[in-house]
């Protein structure tokens, strides 16, 4: 049975994911270390894990598997979930796969090194989350849910 796992800390698409999970009648687990509102939806379970680095990530990685869908922006978590056989999406709808996760991990490490060195004194900040990202996420999640259920 398919489960939709959401790495819920700072996830901008929780409501959209809930709509898709409801339409597909799939259990959804919002995993966080706190600060989430409970949903009245019987398909949605809010899972509060202990504080600590990567505790929510470990909880998801230990439970997901083939036929499940995971939504996360965390690249190391995505790698673990792919290894477990789950389908994995970013919040903007981009799909993590066996074919691209190695490159994603390498780029993440490179960017972390560059930020740490900060040779130009530049302050960082990612690009904003757009309506196009939200729309792309909904379309991608719909496709992944259909694929996961087959």
């Amino acid at each position: 049975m398919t489960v939709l796992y959401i790495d819920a800390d700072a996830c901008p698409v929780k409501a959209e994911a809930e709509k898709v999970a409801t339409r597909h009648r799939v259990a959804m687990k919002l995993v966080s270390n706190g600060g989430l509102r409970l949903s009245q939806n019987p398909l949605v379970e809010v899972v509060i894990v202990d504080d600590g680095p990567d505790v929510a990530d470990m909880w998801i990685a230990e439970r997901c598997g083939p036929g499940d869908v995971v939504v996360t922006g965390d690249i190391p978590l995505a790698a673990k979930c792919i290894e477990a056989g789950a389908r994995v999406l970013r919040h903007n709808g981009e799909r993590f796969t066996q074919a691209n996760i190695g490159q994603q991990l390498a780029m993440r490490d490179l960017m972390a090194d560059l930020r740490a060195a900060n040779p130009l004194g530049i302050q960082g900040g990612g690009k904003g989350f757009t309506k196009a990202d939200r729309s792309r996420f909904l379309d991608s999640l719909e496709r992944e849910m259909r694929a996961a259920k087959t």
Side-chain angles (χ1 to χ4, degrees):
M1 176 187 260
T2 298
V3 176
L4 174 59
Y5 292 94
I6 308 292
D7 183 6
D9 291 326
C11 176
V13 290
K14 292 185 281 280
E16 291 81 359
E18 183 173 340
K19 288 177 186 174
V20 174
T22 300
R23 184 169 46 253
H24 287 272
R25 295 186 183 112
V26 167
M28 178 173 137
K29 299 194 184 292
L30 288 166
V31 185
S32 173
N33 60 6
L36 294 179
R37 293 182 184 168
L38 297 177
S39 173
Q40 298 301 312
N41 187 330
L43 291 172
V44 177
E45 177 184 355
V46 174
V47 178
I48 305 298
V49 297
D50 293 332
D51 281 335
D54 302 324
V55 176
D57 297 351
M58 288 185 287
W59 193 95
I60 293 169
E62 290 170 357
R63 288 162 179 80
C64 72
D68 294 331
V69 178
V70 177
V71 176
T72 186
D74 185 283
I75 298 169
L77 171 60
K80 291 174 187 168
C81 295
I82 289 168
E83 189 176 309
R87 305 176 80 81
V88 186
L89 289 177
R90 284 185 194 266
H91 307 122
N92 65 1
E94 293 175 10
R95 186 167 176 235
F96 289 108
T97 66
Q98 280 285 5
N100 72 15
I101 195 65
Q103 177 186 6
Q104 297 280 336
L105 284 165
M107 183 60 73
R108 173 191 174 270
D109 293 343
L110 173 64
M111 295 308 289
D113 290 346
L114 289 174
R115 280 191 300 276
N118 199 6
L120 302 175
I122 298 171
Q123 297 298 315
K127 65 178 188 168
F129 190 75
T130 66
K131 287 182 181 179
D133 292 330
R134 195 173 304 279
S135 177
R136 190 171 39 254
F137 171 77
L138 279 167
D139 183 53
S140 295
L141 183 58
E142 183 66 31
R143 279 195 314 268
E144 293 303 315
M145 292 300 288
R146 288 179 185 165
K149 292 169 62 175
T150 59

